[in-house]
Amino acid sequence: MAAATGGLLALGLAVAACSRHDSTQPGTSAQPETSAPTSGPGRTGGLTEQSDEVDGMWVRRDVAYAPVSPAQRLDLYRPTPPPAADAAARDGAGLPVVITIHGGAFALGDKRDDLPVIHALVHAGYAVASLNYRLSAEARFPAAVQDVKAAVRWVRAHAADHGLDPDRIVASGASAGAYLAVMLGTTPGVAMYDDPALGNPGVSSAVQAVVDFYGPINFASMDDQVRANERCAVSDASHGRPDSPESRFLGRTVAAVPQLVRVASPLNYLGRAPLPPFHIEHGDADCTVPHRQSLELADALRAAGAPAVDVTIVPGAGHGGAFPTAERMPAVLAFLSRTVGH
């Protein structure tokens, strides 16, 4: 078992090295920006736009959290403007921050897609960092995982500047974004995902809780799980195809690279480090990402000793807009209150 694990890690490190070359290719999905990110030896990322007030929220947009790609930007939201540095030092208590990661089959989407969730979180008293990351047309796995890790490091390194609590960071995402949130929760200390070239080396990228809305977890089991759902069509079992979102994300056909699929799964890293609490939501009529992905994850997390694993399978709910996210937000907020406070 140890030899097999070592072999998978070696494969993963080789993939990580390849991703650095891929990331130099222009990506059609990256968001255009008017200014380049700034960088430094220890703290990467500059504020590229002025702060603003939107719908009762303070927001600072398009902050560069890493220097490699125009896609590496975040929007930072708070219920109120951050306190002055000296006031924050006297107070000693920053806001817990939820990092929201958009979905879009690893190929589409934008950090503003999650605005309803962002509104709910900010109006409940949380800060939110909403991320863009390199999409599959620009860079293959593990680039997106490395990006969200870099974003966590940036948030933690700059917490004092924005009145945030560096010890209360939550990862939340939907669909492909949920996969990335779960990877944040299951891979603390895994070197291949903390790329020092993306800034703030030595700063922890660990998170203290994870919220997973219908995320893919094990690309190898998705098609069998779709076939097992009588609500789904035979044609929905297409994740192993060369043109599937998961194959494009990996840069390889899922069905042809079982070792790489194992490296890319959060299940591969369980049991190596303490886990945070997880809150998982999925619909049983989801034929895009089968709900058994979430059940598979929950079983593995419990077996690995996760301190809390909340799972809700919503009857009749589908994927994306067919999932009742707004109705489920009270349960999410209750989970956050129990785990990171308010």
Side-chain angles (χ1 to χ4, degrees):
M1 182 66 177
T5 300
L8 287 173
L9 281 176
L11 174 62
L13 290 168
V15 171
C18 290
S19 78
R20 294 191 183 96
H21 297 290
D22 289 349
S23 67
T24 62
Q25 301 301 316
T28 58
S29 302
Q31 300 298 312
E33 303 292 343
T34 58
S35 61
T38 60
S39 62
R43 292 163 68 87
T44 296
L47 302 177
T48 59
E49 292 190 6
Q50 296 297 313
S51 60
D52 199 0
E53 297 278 348
V54 178
D55 294 334
M57 303 182 294
W58 177 91
V59 57
R60 178 158 279 157
R61 299 193 187 279
D62 294 316
V63 179
Y65 63 79
V68 169
S69 167
Q72 293 163 330
R73 297 290 192 274
L74 63 81
D75 294 341
L76 183 62
Y77 299 83
R78 283 180 45 100
T80 58
D86 56 347
R90 289 195 303 271
D91 185 15
L95 292 179
V97 56
V98 181
I99 291 178
T100 60
I101 311 171
H102 70 79
F106 302 109
L108 303 166
D110 181 76
K111 53 187 164 55
R112 294 174 177 85
D113 293 347
D114 292 329
L115 273 176
V117 171
I118 292 167
H119 282 192
L121 292 167
V122 174
H123 292 159
Y126 295 92
V128 174
S130 183
L131 309 183
N132 279 347
Y133 50 91
R134 285 173 289 176
L135 302 175
S136 57
E138 179 179 3
R140 69 188 185 189
F141 170 83
V145 183
Q146 292 170 334
D147 284 356
V148 297
K149 290 269 192 175
V152 174
R153 295 197 306 272
W154 187 94
V155 168
R156 183 163 275 122
H158 293 268
D161 302 333
H162 299 95
L164 309 177
D165 187 339
D167 297 321
R168 292 189 293 167
I169 298 177
V170 179
S172 174
S175 193
Y179 162 85
L180 294 171
V182 173
M183 286 293 280
L184 282 172
T186 57
T187 61
V190 178
M192 68 175 280
Y193 297 124
D194 275 305
D195 184 353
L198 300 186
N200 299 296
V203 176
S204 171
S205 60
V207 296
Q208 283 65 60
V210 175
V211 177
D212 165 4
F213 284 103
Y214 45 84
I217 299 301
N218 178 1
F219 302 160
S221 62
M222 292 179 75
D223 282 343
D224 285 344
Q225 292 171 352
V226 170
R227 295 185 190 101
N229 190 340
E230 61 185 13
R231 297 172 180 266
C232 301
V234 173
S235 60
D236 293 324
S238 60
H239 299 282
R241 294 167 52 116
D243 62 346
S244 74
E246 298 79 19
S247 294
R248 294 196 304 267
F249 175 66
L250 294 177
R252 308 283 193 282
T253 301
V254 164
V257 286
Q259 283 189 307
L260 181 58
V261 169
R262 286 180 64 190
V263 169
S265 173
L267 303 179
N268 183 55
Y269 304 97
L270 299 182
R272 303 183 187 193
L275 293 165
F278 283 75
H279 182 89
I280 303 169
E281 300 266 350
H282 216 129
D284 68 0
D286 190 336
C287 296
T288 302
V289 176
H291 72 280
R292 286 181 174 84
Q293 288 284 286
S294 287
L295 297 176
E296 184 177 356
L297 172 62
D299 288 345
L301 289 170
R302 289 172 180 140
V309 183
D310 300 344
V311 185
T312 299
I313 304 300
V314 181
H319 197 80
F323 186 86
T325 302
E327 295 175 21
R328 297 301 307 158
M329 283 306 296
V332 172
L333 293 173
F335 167 77
L336 295 178
S337 180
R338 291 194 306 272
T339 54
V340 297
H342 180 274

